[in-house]
């Protein structure tokens, strides 16, 4: 399934010390410690002086339990300390008043933590909804084009960074855009949202791909006009699959060129790159489009510079063309997953946003077969409805 976060991502979920729910073993610590102390006292011929360990139980409960459960653990500890047969409250080893104070304090801390956790969940839910509205999940298929993507923001615990991509179907064919705005992380989300909004409009009302790129450029120029020294810019690559032509048209605005995957070959498509978006150079030097004929089974690979400019410990750049040649015959989803895993092994500390998009236009015969299969399915459903009287 096409996704914005493919398998192999290193930090899909933050550690429990950074906000995620605690693991099961943390929840087991208070009851296990309690049972361990009781068993040690009951089975020993000469009970050891380990009653002081009970004081840690309410504090451990704070990590994973709510205030009510923490209060129960504290009450159980205080009760057990008052059972003479257990010999847990030996003078000098387990001060009953001290442990009782720790239990009460732990309940208060657990109450504060629970409320902060609830607030954090709400904030994260709102942030996730907002980010998904900016960059919704990539569908498996847009018109006659199958899509597989990977999106890895540089800033942890976010869904959107400075990279963006989108695939949309419109009256002039299926169009795709991949871009990289100045900066990365949450500070770039506003620019990403503005560019994606402009792109979605061009899919509907801009017949010419060069004119669509000019619209994106104008959007950034207007956005930065009222800001002194904004220096707002972005690179972008636009692709278009005109209906019924078996071709792809591309326009590059300072972005890395796409790669044509044809069988076991990975061929970089030369494009006449225009200036990046937002610098106001489009009138002086507008980008020029290029049309490429596609064979059945051809795929287009697009990636941000977060892939090609990643470096290993020795300072060497990631050899993207060689890696693509090695993975070229794999299915698109496997190719994306293996490329990401290979990139992480090559450069364990990736500091830039990473985005990858593989587009597979289907030949007309395959599309007709799929349409025929859908029609047959619909006819079968109608026939079944007639037999059952539905």
């Amino acid at each position: 399934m096409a996704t914005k976060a493919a398998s192999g991502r290193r930090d899909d979920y933050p550690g429990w010390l950074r906000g995620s729910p605690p693991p099961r073993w943390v929840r087991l610590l208070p009851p296990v410690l309690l049972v361990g102390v009781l068993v040690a006292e009951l089975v020993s011929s000469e009970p050891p002086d380990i009653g002081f360990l009970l004081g840690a139980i309410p504090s451990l409960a704070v990590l994973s339990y709510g205030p009510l459960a923490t209060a129960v653990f504290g009450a159980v500890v205080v009760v057990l300390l008052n059972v003479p047969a257990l010999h847990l409250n030996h003078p000098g080893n387990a001060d009953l008043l001290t442990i009782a104070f720790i239990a009460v304090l732990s309940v208060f801390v657990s109450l504060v933590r629970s409320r902060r956790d609830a607030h954090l969940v709400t904030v994260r839910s709102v942030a996730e909804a907002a980010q998904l509205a900016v960059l919704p999940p990539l569908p498996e298929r847009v018109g006659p084009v199958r899509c597989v993507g990977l999106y890895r923001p540089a800033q942890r615990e976010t869904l959107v960074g400075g990279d963006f991509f989108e695939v949309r179907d419109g009256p002039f064919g299926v169009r795709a855009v991949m871009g990289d705005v100045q900066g990365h992380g949450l500070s770039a989300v506003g620019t990403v949202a503005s560019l994606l909004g402009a792109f979605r409009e061009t899919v509907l009302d801009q017949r010419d791909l060069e004119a669509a790129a000019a619209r994106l450029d104008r959007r950034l120029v207007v956005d930065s006009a009222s800001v002194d020294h904004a220096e707002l810019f972005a690179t972008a690559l636009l692709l278009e699959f005109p209906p019924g032509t078996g071709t792809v048209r591309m326009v590059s605005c300072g972005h890395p060129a796409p790669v044509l995957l044809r069988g076991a070959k990975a061929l970089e498509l030369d494009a006449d790159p225009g200036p990046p978006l937002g610098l106001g150079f489009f009138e002086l030097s507008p980008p020029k489009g290029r049309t490429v004929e596609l064979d059945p089974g051809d795929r287009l690979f697009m990636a941000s510079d977060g892939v090609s400019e990643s470096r290993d410990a020795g300072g060497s750049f990631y050899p993207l063309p060689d890696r693509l040649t090695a993975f070229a015959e794999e299915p698109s989803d496997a190719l994306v997953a293996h490329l990401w895993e290979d990139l992480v092994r090559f450069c364990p500390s990736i500091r830039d946003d990473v985005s990858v998009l593989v587009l597979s236009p289907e030949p007309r015969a395959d599309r007709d077969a799929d349409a025929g299969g859908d029609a047959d399915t619909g006819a079968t459903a109608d026939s079944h409805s007639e037999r059952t009287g539905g």
Side-chain angles (χ1 to χ4, degrees):
M1 180 177 179
T3 176
K4 290 278 173 79
S7 61
R9 184 171 172 177
R10 292 172 299 179
D11 57 345
D12 294 325
Y13 303 100
W16 69 278
L17 293 178
R18 297 174 58 239
S20 286
R24 185 181 299 272
W25 64 266
V26 176
R27 294 183 61 85
L28 292 177
L29 284 178
V32 168
L33 180 59
L34 181 61
V35 172
V37 170
L38 292 178
V39 170
E41 290 287 344
L42 294 175
V43 301
S44 300
S45 57
E46 185 175 347
D49 294 337
I50 58 174
F52 67 94
L53 293 176
L54 294 179
I57 292 177
S59 300
L60 291 175
V62 170
L63 297 175
S64 53
Y65 290 92
L68 180 59
T70 301
V72 171
F73 277 113
V76 169
V77 167
V78 172
V79 170
L80 292 177
L81 288 173
N82 285 281
V83 177
L86 296 177
H87 304 286
L88 290 174
N89 193 27
H90 292 171
N93 290 330
D95 189 328
L96 178 61
L97 292 178
T98 300
I99 293 181
F101 174 77
I102 292 175
V104 173
L105 182 62
S106 297
V107 173
F108 174 75
V109 173
S110 178
L111 177 63
V112 173
R113 181 193 60 79
S114 298
R115 292 186 175 181
R116 289 177 64 90
D117 287 350
H119 176 69
L120 181 60
V121 169
T122 301
V123 170
R124 282 182 171 174
S125 299
V126 173
E128 182 174 346
Q131 293 179 78
L132 287 176
V134 173
L135 201 64
L138 181 69
E140 292 183 0
R141 177 171 171 169
V142 178
V145 179
R146 295 189 181 274
C147 314
V148 176
L150 177 146
Y151 194 98
R152 166 50 164 84
Q155 187 168 338
R156 293 183 176 182
E157 300 181 39
T158 61
L159 301 177
V160 182
D163 286 0
F164 63 93
F165 57 72
E166 180 73 289
V167 184
R168 290 280 174 136
D169 195 4
F172 314 112
V174 174
R175 286 183 181 173
V177 63
M178 173 173 283
D180 184 1
V181 308
Q182 175 195 18
H184 55 75
L186 293 176
S187 61
V189 173
T191 307
V192 169
S194 181
L195 285 173
L196 284 176
F199 169 74
R200 291 160 185 162
E201 292 178 358
T202 66
V203 171
L204 300 176
D205 57 26
Q206 288 290 341
R207 180 180 298 274
D208 184 66
L209 198 59
E210 289 86 350
R215 174 79 70 85
L216 300 184
D217 175 71
R218 187 179 66 180
R219 178 73 271 164
L220 278 193
V221 171
V222 171
D223 287 349
S224 59
S226 60
V227 181
D228 293 334
H229 309 294
E231 298 181 354
L232 186 62
F233 68 92
T235 64
L237 175 65
L238 289 85
L239 299 184
E240 179 184 76
F241 300 90
T245 63
T247 63
V248 61
R249 185 163 179 78
M250 58 184 184
V251 171
S252 174
C253 303
H255 198 79
V259 178
L260 176 65
L261 302 178
R262 176 171 289 170
K265 298 180 180 179
L267 309 172
E268 185 173 355
L269 299 178
D270 294 330
D272 187 4
L277 306 173
L279 298 181
F281 294 153
F282 264 51
E283 293 184 1
L284 300 176
S285 178
K288 297 179 181 179
R290 179 190 174 189
T291 300
V292 177
E293 295 287 338
L294 298 177
D295 292 341
D298 283 353
R299 294 175 292 172
L300 277 302
F301 175 92
M302 307 161 66
S304 65
D305 58 9
V307 177
S308 57
E309 295 183 2
S310 293
R311 302 183 184 221
D312 62 7
S316 300
F317 288 108
Y318 180 70
L320 180 60
D322 295 339
R323 295 299 201 264
L324 281 179
T325 301
F327 301 140
E329 293 187 287
E330 297 185 3
S332 296
D333 53 351
L335 183 152
V336 170
H338 291 162
L339 183 72
W340 170 247
E341 293 167 358
D342 185 63
L343 181 63
V344 171
R345 286 193 297 267
F346 182 87
C347 180
S349 179
I350 300 175
R351 302 183 182 277
D352 197 3
D353 301 314
V354 170
S355 56
V356 172
L357 185 60
V358 180
L359 303 177
S360 307
E362 295 181 347
R364 178 177 296 275
D366 293 346
R367 299 200 300 269
D368 292 343
D370 290 344
D374 294 341
D376 292 343
T377 302
T380 302
D382 292 341
S383 176
H384 177 72
S385 177
E386 290 174 1
R387 288 197 304 270
T388 58

